[in-house]
Structure formats: C-alpha cells, structure tokens
Amino acid sequence: MSKWNLIIDVENCTNCNVCVLACYDEYYGNEFPGYAAEMPKFDHRWIDIKQKVRGEGSLLDVAYLPVLCQHCDDAPCLKAAGNGAVKKRDDGIVIIDPVKSKGQKQIVDACPYGAIWWNEEKQIPQHWIFDAHLLDEGWKEPRIQQVCATQAARAIKVSDAEMARIAEAEGLEHLYPEHGTRPRIWYKNLHRYTKAFIAGSVEAAKDGVVDCVEGASVTLTKDGNVIQRTVTDNYGDFKFDDLDENSGAYQVRVEAADAGAKHLDVTLRESVCLGAISL
C-alpha cells in the first residue's frame, strides 16, 4: 500500500517562511470537520522553522530546520489519546480529531518533537495534518510543497519498501531517531543542523607575500584512524562536516607542495574554526 511521506532538504531551506504563511492561510479562519478546527491567530506554528548557527567569521554556517508533525507510524500521541481522539490513516497520515480530542492536553505532552500545539480557547490539541483534506480532494501535494520556491519540501506517496530504497539512495534521516517513533517525515542534509564541523583556512608566504593556498591536502584523524580527507578551495578554505558534537580529540594535518606541512590537535565540542593556518 502506498503511504505519504515528506522529504525536507535542510540544505535548501532559506527560512523564507512561505510554508508557515501558507499553513496559516489554510487553517486560520477555516474549519475542516473531521480534520482540523480553526488555527488560532497567534502563538501557533504548526510548521516551526528552527535555526542553527555553526562556526564563526568567514566560515559561518547557518541552517534552518522545519519541524512539524512527523506523522509517526508508532505515534506517542496515539498511545496517549483517549476516546479514539487520534487515528492513523491507512495512507500514513495522523489525524487528531478536533471533537474527540477536547480537553486532552496529554496529547500535546506526548509528542517528543513538540509538534502538537494546545488551543487554549477551544481546549484541543492541534497539529499540521499533512493537508489531508486537500489530498482527499485530489490534490497531488500538500501546500508546503506547492509554495516552496527552493524545493526544500517534497511529498511522495509510495510503498514503505520503495521509501526505504529512496531513503538509502538519497541519504535521508529521521529527526531524533532515538525516539523510535518511525516518522514519515524525512530529512536530507540533516547534519547541517545536528552535527558539527572543523574548518580552517590555509595560507603561506611566497616572495614576501602571504596568500591563500589552493589545493593543499588536509586530513582529519581520530585515534589514529583517518576520518575524512579534503583539499583546500581557491580561498584556501577547508571543512570537515558531519562530526558528532562533543566527540573529543581530533588531529588535523595540512600539507602543500612547496609550502610544507603542519599538524594541529583539536578538541571538538561545537563546530570549530581553526582560523588561518600558516605553512
């Protein structure tokens, strides 16, 4: 059976908030019986874009992460709900019934992603419903995809086996997999938000002039094992990304023909910029 999935490419998200506005446009002032009650005018962000700043100076990296209902196959909200207030549809979409869920604030508390919002006025939990009401009318994609100018969001309806193949081929990940909820939201380039990097710039003096070194060989090792290799770009910059935060001691070796070599010890907590490395 084909089920809905959403792929979000963190690399392409620019924090333009058009998807946030489209969600607000769709649900504020509108009731969709059986799907969702009206979204409050203030304080709800069913699509909530988080920001992560890594590095510093010319090697600064800013990433944006849209967080929304993950439509989990093993949804904690479903387990927490009483009176059949939360249901998992055959197409993979999770729906919080706007009538049956009244007064059930525990549904909000059950979500480990913080993606369910409490409507104080109506006394109900609410979330992004994957625009299920539109899909049921024949729409081919939810509005989050329709309005995204950078193609950061892509909804697909495929079998679980096919989705597993796509995830493997495209390097897709789940947000906070330790929760074990089996989400139907997938992220590409998630390391931009969840991991750390080690970066620097290589320079050397020649004929009394200090200039950047292009094509220098840079090797990252840990405990005697090579982790990554790269070469500097035309600005002399290099970056080793997708490293675990607080992962401890690393060694960086920089080597360039006619310029020599240098070895640096690095302790990684958050992303580290080594600055200018003079050979």
Side-chain angles (χ1 to χ4, degrees):
M1 174 179 291
S2 294
K3 299 179 182 180
W4 284 104
N5 300 267
L6 182 71
I7 300 170
I8 297 175
D9 191 341
V10 178
E11 188 83 39
N12 288 350
C13 182
T14 61
N15 196 32
C16 70
N17 273 258
V18 174
C19 61
V20 176
L21 293 174
C23 182
Y24 182 80
D25 176 69
E26 185 67 26
Y27 297 100
Y28 173 65
N30 296 313
E31 297 272 352
F32 301 104
Y35 296 96
E38 177 186 1
M39 184 184 196
K41 188 173 184 179
F42 302 109
D43 300 326
H44 274 218
R45 291 178 67 89
W46 295 0
I47 301 174
D48 191 18
I49 301 179
K50 310 290 187 181
Q51 175 181 284
K52 179 70 171 287
V53 179
R54 304 187 300 166
E56 58 186 352
S58 62
L59 297 173
L60 190 71
D61 182 297
V62 183
Y64 301 103
L65 179 78
V67 178
L68 60 176
C69 176
Q70 302 289 298
H71 293 275
C72 308
D73 282 351
D74 193 10
C77 61
L78 180 61
K79 298 175 182 177
N83 193 35
V86 180
K87 65 178 179 181
K88 179 75 171 177
R89 301 189 348 165
D90 290 342
D91 62 1
I93 295 175
V94 172
I95 297 292
I96 301 175
D97 189 287
V99 176
K100 295 179 179 179
S101 64
K102 189 173 180 64
Q104 297 197 48
K105 198 169 185 179
Q106 77 277 9
I107 294 174
V108 176
D109 299 332
C111 179
Y113 304 94
I116 302 177
W117 300 75
W118 181 249
N119 187 321
E120 187 65 30
E121 179 183 357
K122 296 182 181 297
Q123 291 289 294
I124 58 172
Q126 295 184 285
H127 70 138
W128 179 67
I129 64 169
F130 215 109
D131 295 346
H133 61 300
L134 299 178
L135 299 176
D136 289 349
E137 290 177 0
W139 285 45
K140 294 183 179 180
E141 70 275 326
R143 291 191 65 179
I144 188 175
Q145 176 177 342
Q146 184 187 63
V147 301
C148 186
T150 61
Q151 299 181 338
R154 174 166 55 106
I156 55 176
K157 191 178 184 183
V158 295
S159 69
D160 288 346
E162 176 62 10
M163 190 63 233
R165 186 197 67 78
I166 293 171
E168 177 69 22
E170 298 188 17
L172 306 181
E173 302 175 74
H174 289 311
L175 183 63
Y176 308 134
E178 61 270 21
H179 294 324
T181 62
R182 299 164 57 214
R184 306 204 74 81
I185 308 300
W186 301 81
Y187 291 90
K188 189 172 184 176
N189 295 308
L190 185 59
H191 69 274
R192 289 280 308 278
Y193 191 87
T194 60
K195 297 298 183 79
F197 66 74
I198 297 172
S201 299
V202 181
E203 63 181 21
K206 185 176 182 180
D207 299 327
V209 177
V210 177
D211 200 358
C212 57
V213 178
E214 180 180 1
S217 173
V218 192
T219 304
L220 180 70
T221 61
K222 183 175 178 60
D223 300 326
N225 300 310
V226 174
I227 304 300
Q228 295 183 38
R229 299 181 192 271
T230 189
V231 295
T232 55
D233 63 18
N234 58 329
Y235 296 104
D237 295 340
F238 67 89
K239 179 190 283 187
F240 297 113
D241 209 338
D242 201 9
L243 305 172
D244 290 334
E245 293 183 339
N246 300 305
S247 52
Y250 290 84
Q251 299 76 44
V252 175
R253 179 175 174 79
V254 182
E255 188 172 6
D258 303 324
K262 182 164 285 189
H263 179 96
L264 299 95
D265 292 318
V266 183
T267 299
L268 185 61
R269 295 182 178 87
E270 296 181 345
S271 293
V272 174
C273 292
L274 301 176
I277 302 170
S278 299
L279 297 181

